[in-house]
Amino acid sequence: MLRFQAYHPGRTWSAILSSGISPSAALMPKRLVAGRERIYLDRFWNEFAADRSKIDEATRVHYAKLYAQPGAMHSAFAQFLSFPKDAEDNKVSMATKLTMPVLAIGAEKSFASTQAVVMRNAATNVTEVVIPNSGHWLMEEQPTATITAIRTFLDAKN
């Protein structure tokens, strides 16, 4: 994303980044998860939530069903395999800092202000928001606060 914004400043007017997780999931063979998608996903929901009850049963069933489809876990693991290339690309892109407004949203019980600290390496106009009482799953745990932060940022016409 940073690379696109750096090379196409006229096509982007702002950016929003939120708390993320980079588990060693790419190293876990998908055959170990096949048929056990729910067990695998529960680990992430439970360990990275400030309040695991916010990821309700209907949500868990829904995503487990999606991830059980052919090729879904392969694609999920593949995103983590791209991290080294993303890091390379980001180093090049960060040679010229973004000047557009950037909203960096962290979760109090996850990465908190780290999102903004990281983004300040790539952008000069970073707005930091930390969502209280939330873990990694911002929209599941604190949807109103997350949406309010995004709307406030977008409505400010930075």
Side-chain angles (χ1 to χ4, degrees), residues 1-17 90 93-94 96-103 119 122-123 153:
M1 178 176 77
L2 294 177
R3 187 178 189 104
F4 180 84
Q5 292 166 334
Y7 290 125
H8 304 282
R11 294 178 65 193
T12 55
W13 59 91
S14 64
I16 298 173
L17 289 293
N90 287 342
S93 299
M94 287 174 15
T96 303
K97 286 191 174 191
L98 301 173
T99 57
M100 71 177 75
V102 173
L103 174 61
M119 285 314 303
F153 175 77

Side-chain angles (χ1 to χ4, degrees), residues 47-123:
E47 290 185 25
F48 297 116
D51 177 357
R52 62 177 66 176
S53 71
K54 296 285 187 166
I55 296 91
D56 63 37
E57 184 62 19
T59 299
R60 291 170 186 255
V61 167
H62 173 77
Y63 282 109
K65 184 177 177 181
L66 291 175
Y67 278 101
Q69 294 180 9
M73 288 308 302
H74 172 79
S75 297
F77 291 144
Q79 72 176 321
F80 299 109
L81 294 174
S82 70
F83 283 5
K85 178 66 171 137
D86 289 346
E88 272 180 47
D89 291 346
N90 287 342
K91 283 181 186 175
V92 172
S93 299
M94 287 174 15
T96 303
K97 286 191 174 191
L98 301 173
T99 57
M100 71 177 75
V102 173
L103 174 61
I105 305 175
E108 178 185 30
K109 311 267 188 204
S110 185
F111 287 100
S113 62
T114 302
Q115 269 314 93
V117 170
V118 169
M119 285 314 303
R120 287 186 184 105
N121 289 304

